[in-house]
Amino acid sequence: TPEEAIIGGAKFISEKYVNNPVYAQDTLYKMKWNPDIPGVHQYATDVGWSYKQTAKIKQLYDLCTNYYLRFDVPKYGMK
């Protein structure tokens, strides 16, 4: 069902990327480019993937009335 697909997809992203103890890729940018280990464990192959997601994310933010933005500027290099 659509509900199961959303829950399953969220679980996959959470476990494999956002809350992963090794990669901790907690932004769309980090999921695509992985600044800590460039070229390793990338979610998407499209170089414009993270940019293309922002329009939908903006629509969701526009529905909210109380939020703040925190910017995470990655630094490239090996750990």
Side-chain angles (χ1 to χ4, degrees):
T1 67
E3 181 179 359
E4 291 172 324
I6 291 168
I7 292 169
K11 182 179 181 199
F12 175 83
I13 295 298
S14 174
E15 291 174 354
K16 303 294 183 188
Y17 293 89
V18 176
N19 296 304
N20 184 286
V22 175
Y23 299 107
Q25 292 163 279
D26 58 358
T27 68
L28 292 176
Y29 186 87
K30 289 178 188 176
M31 287 173 65
K32 168 58 190 131
W33 297 109
N34 196 5
D36 288 340
I37 313 169
V40 175
H41 201 255
Q42 294 176 304
Y43 178 76
T45 57
D46 178 357
V47 296
W49 176 79
S50 56
Y51 174 80
K52 293 172 184 177
Q53 304 305 310
T54 58
K56 184 62 176 173
I57 292 170
K58 182 184 181 315
Q59 288 177 349
L60 296 171
Y61 271 112
D62 288 345
L63 297 173
C64 299
T65 58
N66 187 19
Y67 67 90
Y68 71 95
L69 296 175
R70 181 182 63 140
F71 294 91
D72 180 358
V73 180
K75 295 179 181 164
Y76 282 85
M78 300 300 280
K79 278 189 170 181

